[in-house]
Amino acid sequence: MNKALKNLDEVTIRFAGDSGDGMQLTGMQFTSTTAMLGNDLSTLPDYPAEIRAPAGTLFGVSGFQIHFGSTEINTPGDACDVLVAMNPAALKVNIRSLRDGGVIIANSDGFNDKNLKLASYEKNPLEDGSLEKYQVHSVKITQLTHNALEDLGLSNKITDRSKNFFALGMMYWMFSRPLEPTIKWIGDKFKKTPEIVEANTRVLKAGYAFGETTEIFAARYEVKPATMIPGKYRSITGNEATAWGLIAASVKSGLDLFLGSYPITPASDILHELSRHKNFRVKTFQAEDEIAGITASIGAAYGGALGATTTSGPGMALKGEALGLAVMLELPLIVIDVQRGGPSTGLPTKTEQADLLQALYGRNSEAPIPVITASTPADCFFMAFEAARIAIKYMTPVILLTDGYLANGAEPWLIPQVDNLPDISPKFRTEVEGFHPYLRDEKTLARPWAIPGTPGLEHRIGGLEKQHITGNVSYDPENHEFMVKMRQAKVDHIADDLPPATTEGDEKGDLLVVGWGGTYGAIRTAVENKRREGKSVSHLHLKYVNPFQKNVGEILYNFKNILVPELNLGQLSKLIRAKYLVPAVTLNKVQGLPFKAVEIEDKIDEIL
Amino acid sequence: MNLVEETLKNAPKTPAQKYAAKDFQSDQDVRWCPGCGDYSILAQVQRVMPELNIPRHNMVFISGIGCSSRFPYYMDTYGFHGIHGRAPAIASGLKIARPDLTVWMATGDGDGLSIGGNHLIHICRRNLNVKILLFNNQIYGLTKGQYSPTSEFGKVTKSTPFGSVDHPFNPLLVALGAEASFVARTLDRDPKHLQVVIRRAAEHKGTAFTEIYQNCNVFNDGAFFTYTEKETKDDNVVFLEHGKPMIFGKEKEKGIKLEGFTPTVVSLKDGKYSASDLIVHNEKDTMLSFILARMSSIPDLPRPVGVIYAVDRPLYEVEVQRQIQQSIQKQGEGNLEKLLNHGETWTIQ
Ligand code: SF4
């Protein structure tokens, strides 16, 4: 049956089910097919902290949201147009993300008494009329999956496991996507078990055919490709991009990458990714704890490696003392904090931006460290690279803040030209004449990097205060103050080396929305929407938080109002107020979830 | 070739040198208390180093925090005075990044067994080629006299005015339990023996753990005098030698015999027992190593001193390097362009 194709500019779909239902995989397949069609997109995986939460429970629900369109897409979408719910718990947890009038595709086989009870539904919501403001399609997904695989003689368990491909097939039909990329992927992924390849492929096709042949879906949609900068693209998550940025820095600098890391959600994927690329001479060291992760990296950096450590908030807290050591030793070190909800263990799988002040100040005494941030998943590549550039040039630890949302979110990425990446050219000191471990370069204030193995440069360094120039232990009061100020000056001076900050929108106006990190997409969308309405609002997104770029003050003073939306209780706003003495208004959200553009838009309306 | 290799290849060479002990003395004033056992350890290390024929610039001494951890400042090699307890992790990172370097570590009973206990056990199990000297003085010196994890039960110190209720660690058992491939014990006040053990540690390929009984004459004077002083030493220490029976005593008149799994002291004077009844030391015997290490918990038994255990097993940093080579052989040298473009990509015209 041929249904009319309706054109849509943008769509948001959320796949939701048990954590064992394969919703992440389903979402990722939909994402890569959609990316290949040339849509712009943004994704938000939302999964539970428990590895295998009991089936059917509310806390075991795993979701994956994708927002795609023929227009520019900057966020995973404020509200869903379509919700695929594999069981009652998935419906219950996710219904509030569905817009009024949105489509629910529910696996009615999953809505049995047991599951309804687990999700605390007294009656079956698919039948009791409670969902009447939505378009509900009940599909016997489990049954149809079994039908499709009847003759294969597979166990019930294996058959059940294929049902996510039925849902995926239906969505491919509904949004006019080809099956081939996923069929090819299934073939690669399960090549060791041909019967699984056969099962998943069949079920995927059955889902598609179901859409085509049944009457239940009123419409089929098309989302035309977005106008994007021509070139070669790939889809990339923040953690992948971070790992590759480090590899790129290693290649460009000629330094072998050493990653000392302890597994922690949501940063572990950087460790996983890097440990696959040994042919880049990457050495990954899964340390006994967070402290060993960073101190091993410091040891490696002392030996001339590109030392890096990856972690999340609680791990950052443990690394505090070692960060101070790195400040004292003035060795290059890259520290990546993939922020998550806190404090303490907090919300390991949820996103937050509340480690900013920890990154700036979470150490004993005066221990300045440059802090930079990534705005989008793909931006993690460039900022990891930038962290390495600054660390090496200025002989300093650098903290890069990303977050759980960036880490797991994906977006299409215009693959950069390797030749266009900035230069990183470290130099090890070999000249014996005139060598002093703490004799600084006049321009960068960096001390020389003299690695063990260099004849004639034997010297001792450590955490005790250093005498200016000689680096010998010194308890001299004036020298201590001098060195404290020198370390601060070195970090402050990095501002001279940063590209100027730029605003999106106008350079002057009624309101400037200032953000940092993973809120970029939501703020950009909100500001664009409001500008379209004619409001005088612009967007400044800070990638460098310590030091700030030199023209930030100038930009701030050109606006009548300043709004700082953050996923914390107001941390950047504190820094901005303190440094620039401007009355910044805050918009704070700490729910473990990213901003919706509309939340920022409402606040803009309130101010203007 | 990476930048490190390239730089070191092109670095100005210094003429090959025959070293003497003084070549390993840095220009820093040694600041331990006069009479401290650390002086002897430093002197013996400086004496043995020239024999190793390793250029000074390829040696790194790494430490944590505490009296013992000042050690790197006094060695004219590369040195790294780290933070409390973390020396094994710093040393691991350096050794993995730079297997070409000779890495030594100085630590103490507080630094190595208390705050840094976790790192110490993990470096042992991984078997990195790092030499660990643990100065055991059974007290916290630098913080001025609190009991340490090796202090005896009941120890009266500033922080335990009524006696410590902590049961102490046995450093050798910690190292053996952590799968160290080389475990030894020696004495600060026996320079000759100290040198022998340092030499053996240097020759060992793998993590070499050496406990050194060290006198802190300020806060715990005489803690080990039973084992180090002339009058008592012979009757209370059995010096281990591979392949030799365990004989001790002023006139070599006593021996150690195994009764079941328990070592006991027997007399060799009354004709009842001879050397052939005694335990013959075997550095490669895992079971024996635990029995020997345990002897210090049994009163009346002499303390075994020397190399308790020494076996070869794969080196961590070598395995890391091997995987890298294999992966380069299989996939070719990493190519950034290829990495960024591999897998699913699409082109927008
Ligand atoms: S406090 Fe004890 S261990 Fe420390 S230097 Fe003085 S005597 Fe030696």
Side-chain angles (χ1 to χ4, degrees), chain A residues 1-3 173 206-217:
Chain A
M1 198 188 87
N2 248 338
K3 282 167 193 155
W173 175 81
Y208 192 93
F210 181 82
E212 196 146 68
T213 51
T214 56
E215 299 281 333
I216 70 167
F217 300 121

Side-chain angles (χ1 to χ4, degrees), chain A residues 462-501:
Chain A
L464 287 167
E465 181 59 284
K466 302 278 163 288
Q467 190 177 48
H468 176 47
I469 300 176
T470 67
N472 288 335
V473 174
S474 166
Y475 300 104
D476 178 68
E478 276 79 33
N479 176 75
H480 175 54
E481 187 165 273
F482 176 86
M483 291 298 274
V484 165
K485 288 181 174 165
M486 177 60 86
R487 288 185 285 262
Q488 184 65 51
K490 183 173 87 164
V491 171
D492 290 345
H493 267 82
I494 294 171
D496 296 341
D497 193 15
L498 303 178

